[in-house]
Amino acid sequence: MLSESQQSYLFPDPNGRYGQFGGRYVPETLMNALIQLEKDFLRLKADPSFQEELSYYLTQYSGRPTPLYYAERLTEALGGPKIYLKREDLNHTGAHKINNTIGQALLALRTGKKRIIAETGAGQHGVASATVAARFGLECTVFMGEEDMRRQALNVFRMRMLGAEVVPATSGTKTLKDATNEAIRHWVSHVEDTHYIIGSVVGPHPYPQIVREFQRIIGDETKQQMLAMEHRLPDAIVACVGGGSNAMGIFFPFVEDTEVELIGVEAAGRGVETEEHAASINKGRPGVLHGAKTMLLQDPYGQVTPAHSISAGLDYPGIGPEHAHFAEIGRARYVPVTDAEALDAFYLLSKLEGIIPALESAHAIAYVVKEASRMPKDTRVVICLSGRGDKDVEQVARMEGELSQ
Amino acid sequence: MNRIDQTFAGLNGEAALIPFVVAGDPDYGRSLDAIVAILEAGADMVEIGFPYSDPLADGPVIQAAALRSLQQGHQLPDCFRLIRDVRSKTEKPLIAFTYVNPVMQYGTERFFRDLAASGGDGVIIPDVPIEEAPELAQMASQYDISFIPLVAPTSGEERVRAISAQAHGFVYCVSSLGVTGERSSVASGVKSLVETVKRYTDLPACVGFGVSTPEHAAEIAAFADGVIVGSAYVRRIEQAQSEGDGSVAESVAEFTRQLKNACQRIRL
Ligand SMILES: Cc1ncc(COP(=O)(O)O)c(C=O)c1O
């Protein structure tokens, strides 16, 4: 049960903190830009003309609202709760990421920035950034780990087609963590004319708040749709967590509805008992990464350790600071799902519902598959289907090729 | 007065030369020799970079050095041991340059206690702006470690005032936008940044990031109290180590003499 003080949820506090987490651990060079960004964001958030413009592009360009789809055959097959899928996969570019990039591109335009930069892991946020850059006539540079560029060559081509420059991050593990380092380093050099579109609810304040605001549309719609269809709130909401933006987007509007259980699914890779996973909350300790204090995979001396997941979008050693806070106060639970479980769910949803989920989203489905038999039949569960699996088909085919050898 | 304050007080008009190297690069022994050689060749104090996996404020040269050191397994206790070994050979100030996460994991109080016990005099944490600094700064002062803050070209007068007011040791003026790394020239705005700092504190103002040559050092020595040189040293260490043993210390000593000579030019 939540105490009285949590009934009115007011985070982040004026220092950009969510309890002990969050903050702004960045070089001094960026501080004024972050302070200004916070002011601009709060001003525009309250500006009806900005909200109207945002709403226009979400509707006309991205195709919102996305359906809350009753997955009848999945429900029947599992024999547990009634399962709804929030269809973020039906957004333009195939994932929830565009909710945030539309919002931040409009923010960049209204603050006179001509250029945006972004980091990307699988390439989904990079594609969503390159897309809005094309639409709004912004120059765009995307940082991507050299290793991920190799794994996701098609998305690299896609970004370049859209007119973006893709820069390989060659440091460290050459994946999302390092792409984010490179983006921040680049921003330090170009802070005066460039807006950095962070792709998840991570990074220094005010980024976790900005991304939460632009993603909360997922939860706001879900609430309305659920009330319209079922005349009640869902009993549980399940979402995968990389940095945590689709999860925060669908969780946040329910934060004070304490009867709704919030469940974040972390990538357990080859298992949380191995070294190869991305389960920051289950296996990490508080630490600082990318400008925020959060739960972090690290060695005893604070060196960040590489994450592993079958899905590049969850392959991240940290997590948004507000999720770390939710875990600490018990407002949400964070559970691990392995590569193998996610892959099974990837096939299951494809075969039962004709919906190929992103491998990231397949983690959320896998959790419900595992737990359905323990959940009461008369309950309603919403799964955030954060993206579609087209981007993963090639990877899965390659893996299957290896398996049959 | 700790060693940093005493050193600045004892400078006769010339600017302090403050080289930066990464602890344990190219290996423990040669990094110890390099630091001792740098100080014997005339550097006034030295910044010792603690290797970190995700050095956000650093360019490729220092990133690579940190990686070389980490790959040999160097961690915080090795950095303290290095400081202790250097301290046994010199009374000059030794400053730890570290990112915040290793400090947090080690324990803030334990960090400052062990840094002080090893013979360290100051600390620079580039990912801790003043908003996040109070607890760390307070713990530093409890152990007589100077908490040296950074100001940047983008700080603006109000932040420079607030940062300078809370500084200890000296104020680190970041010469230009961007991460550490060699640059072809000294950024034009840094002189006025130093002047702004000096309006708000009597502490020395030192300039770093991008200072690469004796010519740059001379230019900066004309208006600042200290010249910080990092990537140019680290690159020399990397070059020298690939050429064989012994040459690392010689190479950095020679570079130090050139830089110190430049710092001693008459101030304008
Ligand atoms: C479809 C999809 N879902 C989830 C994620 C993970 O990000 P987040 O946790 O911020 O939603 C990604 C990231 O690339 C993604 O592409």
Side-chain angles (χ1 to χ4, degrees), chain B residues 1-266:
Chain B
M1 245 199 176
N2 79 9
R3 292 188 191 92
I4 298 174
D5 307 318
Q6 284 165 9
T7 298
F8 279 108
L11 290 170
N12 286 318
E14 85 258 38
L17 173 63
I18 312 175
F20 166 99
V21 297
V22 173
D25 171 47
D27 55 41
Y28 187 89
R30 282 187 286 175
S31 107
L32 173 60
D33 293 346
I35 295 167
V36 172
I38 283 167
L39 291 169
E40 282 176 353
D44 298 283
M45 54 189 89
V46 68
E47 272 179 37
I48 299 177
F50 288 20
Y52 182 52
S53 57
D54 293 77
L56 261 192
D58 285 305
V61 170
I62 293 175
Q63 285 173 42
L67 191 63
R68 281 195 294 276
S69 181
L70 286 172
Q71 280 167 346
Q72 297 170 64
H74 295 137
Q75 294 278 19
L76 232 139
D78 306 292
C79 300
F80 289 142
R81 177 161 62 99
L82 183 66
I83 290 176
R84 196 174 307 118
D85 288 347
V86 177
R87 176 56 67 225
S88 71
K89 298 190 159 80
T90 179
E91 273 307 305
K92 289 184 175 178
L94 304 175
I95 298 163
F97 182 104
T98 178
Y99 288 84
V100 70
N101 195 45
V103 177
M104 243 181 220
Q105 303 311 316
Y106 197 74
T108 302
E109 171 146 29
R110 183 172 165 227
F111 175 87
F112 286 109
R113 189 194 63 203
D114 288 1
L115 178 59
S118 310
D121 305 288
V123 70
I124 298 168
I125 312 183
D127 54 350
V128 171
I130 42 169
E131 284 81 352
E132 309 293 352
E135 194 197 321
L136 288 157
Q138 192 244 321
M139 200 59 81
S141 90
Q142 200 173 310
Y143 288 94
D144 200 21
I145 297 290
S146 299
F147 193 86
I148 298 159
L150 297 97
V151 295
T154 49
S155 294
E157 178 122 7
E158 187 45 41
R159 290 186 66 81
V160 170
R161 186 192 60 72
I163 294 166
S164 302
Q166 296 173 27
H168 293 274
F170 61 88
V171 176
Y172 191 135
C173 303
V174 174
S175 72
S176 53
L177 300 186
V179 293
T180 59
E182 293 174 84
R183 314 252 203 284
S184 56
S185 61
V186 176
S188 56
V190 67
K191 183 167 185 230
S192 83
L193 181 60
V194 168
E195 286 164 359
T196 311
V197 169
K198 293 199 152 293
R199 275 205 294 283
Y200 295 110
T201 180
D202 294 331
L203 286 175
C206 303
V207 172
F209 277 46
V211 185
S212 313
T213 64
E215 290 70 33
H216 295 169
E219 197 179 331
I220 290 164
F223 58 81
D225 303 300
V227 180
I228 303 162
V229 183
S231 293
Y233 269 98
V234 174
R235 187 170 56 75
R236 274 175 179 73
I237 290 172
E238 207 228 309
Q239 271 170 1
Q241 67 109 16
S242 56
E243 284 155 21
D245 255 326
S247 63
V248 169
E250 273 165 42
S251 164
V252 293
E254 174 55 26
F255 189 43
T256 302
R257 282 187 285 273
Q258 293 169 11
L259 289 168
K260 187 59 197 176
N261 194 36
C263 289
Q264 279 163 338
R265 286 190 192 162
I266 311 286

Side-chain angles (χ1 to χ4, degrees), chain A residues 17 23-29 31-32 35 171 177 181 185 188-189 192 285-288 298-299 301-304, chain B residues 51-56 58 63 70 75 77 101-102 104-105 126-127 129 131-132 152 154-155 159 163 177-178:
Chain A
R17 293 265 170 186
R24 279 172 295 206
Y25 294 92
V26 294
E28 169 62 20
T29 304
M31 280 306 292
N32 259 334
I35 291 165
S171 57
K177 166 181 84 83
N181 286 338
R185 289 182 185 120
V188 175
S189 311
E192 286 170 329
R285 298 195 314 279
V288 170
Q298 53 186 321
D299 77 8
Y301 288 105
Q303 311 292 348
V304 181
Chain B
Y52 182 52
S53 57
D54 293 77
L56 261 192
D58 285 305
Q63 285 173 42
L70 286 172
Q75 294 278 19
N101 195 45
M104 243 181 220
Q105 303 311 316
D127 54 350
E131 284 81 352
E132 309 293 352
T154 49
S155 294
R159 290 186 66 81
I163 294 166
L177 300 186

Side-chain angles (χ1 to χ4, degrees), chain A residues 264-282:
Chain A
V265 182
E266 295 196 300
R270 303 207 159 87
V272 286
E273 69 289 353
T274 72
E275 304 270 277
E276 292 175 87
H277 57 74
S280 332
I281 290 208
N282 281 282

Side-chain angles (χ1 to χ4, degrees), chain A residues 127-166:
Chain A
V127 168
S129 297
T131 298
V132 297
R135 172 58 186 82
F136 296 111
L138 295 160
E139 225 183 283
C140 176
T141 301
V142 178
F143 295 86
M144 187 169 187
E146 202 172 42
E147 180 62 22
D148 288 337
M149 283 179 74
R150 199 183 52 72
R151 290 195 288 195
Q152 303 281 340
L154 204 59
N155 267 342
V156 174
F157 185 68
R158 214 169 261 153
M159 288 184 265
R160 288 182 174 149
M161 263 178 67
L162 291 161
E165 177 195 17
V166 183

